[in-house]
Amino acid sequence: MRFMGDFLKNINWKHVLIMCIGNVFAGMGIGIFKLAGLGTDPFSGMNMAVADMIGMAYGNFQLIVNIVLLIIEIVFGRRFLGIGTVVNAVCLAYITTFFYNIYTGVFGLELVTLPVRLVALCVGVVICCLGLSMYQMPDEGVAPYDSLSLIMTERWPKIPYFWHRMSNDVLCALICYLTGGVVGIGTLVTAFGLGPVIHFFNRVFTGKLLAWVDGCGMWLVRLFFVKGTPHGLAFQNGRYDPQPEA
């Protein structure tokens, strides 16, 4: 109980909130990829295809796969674990399904022509990259699938991370194709093209957002206390410390 209390006390809940919002945006974007029908990221595409083939809900199947990958992460990559690991593993596929059902069931969207589907793919890239930026930058844990490439890089350091990640993505894309899933331009875009867009959002939005939320507490302290420091306290090193008696 004491360990759990210390763990919860050390959590930056503002970062956790941003991470959770990021997963919502990521799920929204993946739902648009699925709606566009041009292929989605290899891992999601594999899980969608296999789930459809065996008649299981996408969210349930991806949860099972993530549990297996989570066990690997716990055994070999414990330092990559965090609240974000659990949120992504459990919630992302259900968030994706939720938004996809809204697109098709509530709004009745059905994209037919290729130009419209390409536009939808581009919109999905922007939304998904914003979400991934907000999910990754708070550093609240690595998703089980993402941790797999990091673990492989640590165990076989002579092979660059790029090739570990590529081998995993190619395997997922192959399984997706063999099980009747869509492997197309969307698969290539999500495998190779998300990095620069995520970096853009890291620089122009998420980094500034994190700096702002981290500075909010200090701003309030300065607003209420700096002009008149509470008796017995000294403002030092970004916090109030007991002031030694004269």
Side-chain angles (χ1 to χ4, degrees):
M1 290 293 293
R2 182 177 180 181
F3 169 79
M4 182 59 67
D6 292 340
F7 173 75
L8 294 175
K9 186 170 65 175
N10 291 328
I11 292 175
N12 187 327
W13 291 106
K14 291 178 287 187
H15 285 205
V16 170
L17 177 60
I18 292 173
M19 176 273 297
C20 291
I21 295 173
N23 273 278
V24 172
F25 279 119
M28 188 185 302
I30 295 172
I32 295 175
F33 292 154
K34 185 177 181 180
L35 181 68
L38 296 173
T40 183
D41 68 277
F43 182 63
S44 298
M46 176 192 72
N47 292 326
M48 290 176 187
V50 176
D52 285 343
M53 184 184 70
I54 64 177
M56 181 182 290
Y58 161 56
N60 295 341
F61 181 79
Q62 182 155 307
L63 179 59
I64 294 172
V65 174
N66 276 330
I67 289 173
V68 174
L69 296 177
L70 181 60
I71 293 172
I72 296 174
E73 186 173 1
I74 291 171
V75 174
F76 298 107
R78 193 168 298 176
R79 71 187 186 89
F80 300 124
L81 294 170
I83 290 182
T85 306
V86 178
V87 171
N88 184 277
V90 175
C91 300
L92 183 60
Y94 293 112
I95 294 171
T96 300
T97 301
F98 171 78
F99 280 108
Y100 179 76
N101 289 339
I102 288 179
Y103 302 149
T104 57
V106 177
F107 297 126
L109 295 178
E110 184 178 356
L111 308 184
V112 179
T113 63
L114 182 59
V116 174
R117 293 163 68 191
L118 288 172
V119 170
L121 177 65
C122 293
V123 172
V125 165
V126 172
I127 295 175
C128 188
C129 286
L130 172 61
L132 292 174
S133 173
M134 296 176 69
Y135 152 65
Q136 293 172 354
M137 277 204 80
D139 196 22
E140 292 295 334
V142 180
Y145 177 70
D146 294 333
S147 75
L148 190 59
S149 302
L150 298 172
I151 292 169
M152 292 169 66
T153 303
E154 287 189 342
R155 296 184 69 82
W156 298 287
K158 291 184 179 180
I159 303 175
Y161 166 82
F162 173 83
W163 294 111
H164 288 298
R165 179 71 190 215
M166 186 56 53
S167 65
N168 293 332
D169 283 348
V170 168
L171 178 61
C172 289
L174 180 61
I175 295 173
C176 176
Y177 175 77
L178 293 176
T179 53
V182 178
V183 177
I185 186 174
T187 310
L188 295 176
V189 169
T190 54
F192 297 103
L194 298 189
V197 186
I198 294 172
H199 177 72
F200 169 78
F201 281 117
N202 288 348
R203 182 169 51 86
V204 304
F205 179 73
T206 308
K208 295 179 180 180
L209 176 63
L210 289 170
W212 181 77
V213 299
D214 287 340
C216 275
M218 190 58 58
W219 179 81
L220 290 172
V221 166
R222 291 194 177 112
L223 177 66
F224 289 105
F225 293 111
V226 165
K227 290 185 179 180
T229 302
H231 178 69
L233 295 177
F235 188 75
Q236 297 175 346
N237 300 323
R239 67 180 189 274
Y240 281 103
D241 293 327
Q243 202 173 27
E245 295 185 4

